[in-house]
Amino acid sequence: MLRIASAMLLVLAVTQASFGHFLWLIPGDKPNTVKLVFSDKLGADLDNPELIDKVKQTGLYIHDPGSKHIDLSMEKETAAFVASFPEKAHVIRGKCDYGVFQRGNNPATFLKYYCIYKKGDLKDSACFHCQPLQAREEDPASEPGKFLIEYDGDPVADNEVTMVGPEGFKSLTGKTDKDGYVTFDMKNAPKGLYGLRAKHVAQEKGEHQGKPYETITSYVTLVFTR
């Protein structure tokens, strides 16, 4: 009985962890590398390293100055996947079709993750609309902390957005306006790694791998350094 109970607790812990986890692209340990992590924080979840296998289908890519799509190769390490990118790349993106799931009496939803790492100027980078759910900072120099959230090229209005950061930064939550903009006070923010997270639910029915769904739930994360 003790062995069965322990097994059930382990399954429950993994399930709960995955619901609270998001896909992030963070700087790697070596120059011109990124780490793909599936975590509730801006770092690998070393307490649940097995969860990274749930997002191994993620595709990472960049666009060159001519807007050519270039896929990146990933190698697995503990609780993360690592990829190298060309030195001139300013933005690295990833997308993952997580799958169909249903919680309680809620309608079945197709869960998708999108992640962005901004090394340079995201606004001027090629192919801003190359994935449905997008996030970008408008102008860090003149309007620090102002972000745009769009879905299929349209503003995501009245939607909750969360900002997390380094030690000493208290996580912030805001809502987008009718034009899809949200602004956080970043003027006195400490230097370090920051991550923005937004969600969008589309009322679209369909089927994925033989499983029907009623909605599409998408998450996007944007990571950058201040």
Side-chain angles (χ1 to χ4, degrees):
M1 288 293 291
L2 181 59
R3 190 174 300 172
I4 294 175
S6 298
M8 291 178 65
L9 285 173
L10 177 61
V11 171
L12 180 60
V14 171
T15 302
Q16 290 176 335
S18 62
F19 283 140
H21 283 46
F22 304 95
L23 209 61
W24 306 91
L25 273 177
I26 63 175
D29 299 327
K30 298 179 180 180
N32 301 321
T33 63
V34 288
K35 285 186 179 183
L36 178 76
V37 299
F38 191 48
S39 178
D40 59 353
K41 56 185 180 295
L42 284 178
D45 187 347
L46 298 177
D47 293 328
N48 302 283
E50 70 283 353
L51 290 182
I52 192 63
D53 289 327
K54 290 180 175 290
V55 293
K56 62 184 179 181
Q57 67 273 31
T58 300
L60 301 184
Y61 60 97
I62 62 170
H63 287 88
D64 68 11
S67 297
K68 179 182 178 182
H69 179 104
I70 300 174
D71 291 317
L72 302 179
S73 299
M74 300 191 305
E75 294 184 3
K76 187 179 178 182
E77 63 175 36
T78 303
F81 288 102
V82 180
S84 300
F85 58 87
E87 184 177 358
K88 293 184 178 181
H90 287 253
V91 181
I92 297 87
R93 303 177 188 272
K95 52 185 177 181
C96 173
D97 290 344
Y98 189 83
V100 177
F101 78 91
Q102 185 172 12
R103 181 190 293 177
N105 295 323
N106 294 323
T109 191
F110 186 9
L111 181 57
K112 298 186 177 187
Y113 289 105
Y114 302 96
C115 51
I116 308 165
Y117 171 60
K118 183 184 77 166
K119 178 189 173 187
D121 191 343
L122 180 59
K123 186 175 181 179
D124 294 333
S125 64
C127 195
F128 176 63
H129 294 113
C130 59
Q131 57 193 49
L133 186 56
Q134 289 283 6
R136 76 181 183 205
E137 188 171 15
E138 281 298 277
D139 192 340
S142 62
E143 295 182 287
K146 184 178 181 180
F147 297 86
L148 173 64
I149 311 298
E150 290 187 339
Y151 184 81
D152 277 348
D154 295 323
V156 177
D158 194 30
N159 203 63
E160 187 175 281
V161 181
T162 300
M163 174 77 72
V164 296
E167 185 176 352
F169 179 82
K170 185 178 180 180
S171 63
L172 301 173
T173 301
K175 274 196 172 183
T176 53
D177 62 18
K178 62 181 179 64
D179 297 315
Y181 289 100
V182 61
T183 301
F184 296 102
D185 184 2
M186 303 289 289
K187 293 179 181 178
N188 299 315
K191 293 183 178 180
L193 193 67
Y194 286 85
L196 178 143
R197 183 180 76 245
K199 174 184 177 183
H200 179 271
V201 179
Q203 301 300 318
E204 299 180 31
K205 296 183 179 180
E207 186 176 293
H208 175 71
Q209 295 182 345
K211 297 180 179 179
Y213 57 85
E214 299 291 318
T215 63
I216 298 177
T217 300
S218 302
Y219 286 97
V220 64
T221 58
L222 168 62
V223 174
F224 57 95
T225 301
R226 270 284 187 273

